[in-house]
Amino acid sequence: MRRILVAAASAAALLAGGAAPAIAGTAPAGAGSPAAAHHGWEPEPFPPFDGAAGLLCDFPVHWDVAQNEVRTKVLTTYPDGTTKREVAAGPLVLNVSNAATGTSMPVDAGGSALIDHGTDGSMVWHVVGPIIARFPEGSSNLPRGLYTIDGVYRIAFSPTGFKTVTLVHGTVHNLCDDLG
């Protein structure tokens, strides 16, 4: 199984927190023509990120993308053409830092995922491997923080953007502790 980033389209924006409905891509998965999305893998952008002190950690955080080979592929669609199930694959490495002190570290955010989209805006990610997740206060069943989640787990996104992380076997680690 190829390494997968769990930052597909709106799902990416949902885990990212902030102004988006709530991990951090900006373009819809499979962006481009519907035919291209069904027949091949499409690049998934993953932009740099800046978060103010207090949003995720007690200090400002920043990341730059060191490696992004993430691709997404739509597997099935609803009758109206919207994505029903997709997969995202490819390595992603970020340089994450405490923007106040310059303390930084590389973070592997590649993993393996199958993403099911509900017609109501909900999503469920079935994940194996590491991702990075931004959770502002009150946006998840985890406390505010910048997390790496690794192992076998599920992330359910409600239609309002609330994220529920359920580990089958794995770890959840708040990078704020390392960078602070």
Side-chain angles (χ1 to χ4, degrees), residues 46-103:
F46 203 93
F49 170 77
D50 288 292
L55 177 66
L56 305 173
C57 304
D58 292 337
F59 48 85
V61 296
H62 172 80
W63 73 52
D64 287 309
V65 178
Q67 178 187 19
N68 180 4
E69 298 177 37
V70 176
R71 303 290 179 264
T72 60
K73 183 175 184 175
V74 174
L75 301 176
T76 59
T77 60
Y78 289 102
D80 67 359
T82 59
T83 301
K84 182 175 183 178
R85 176 171 274 181
E86 70 182 318
V87 66
L92 177 70
V93 178
L94 306 172
N95 291 319
V96 180
S97 63
N98 175 329
T101 66
T103 302

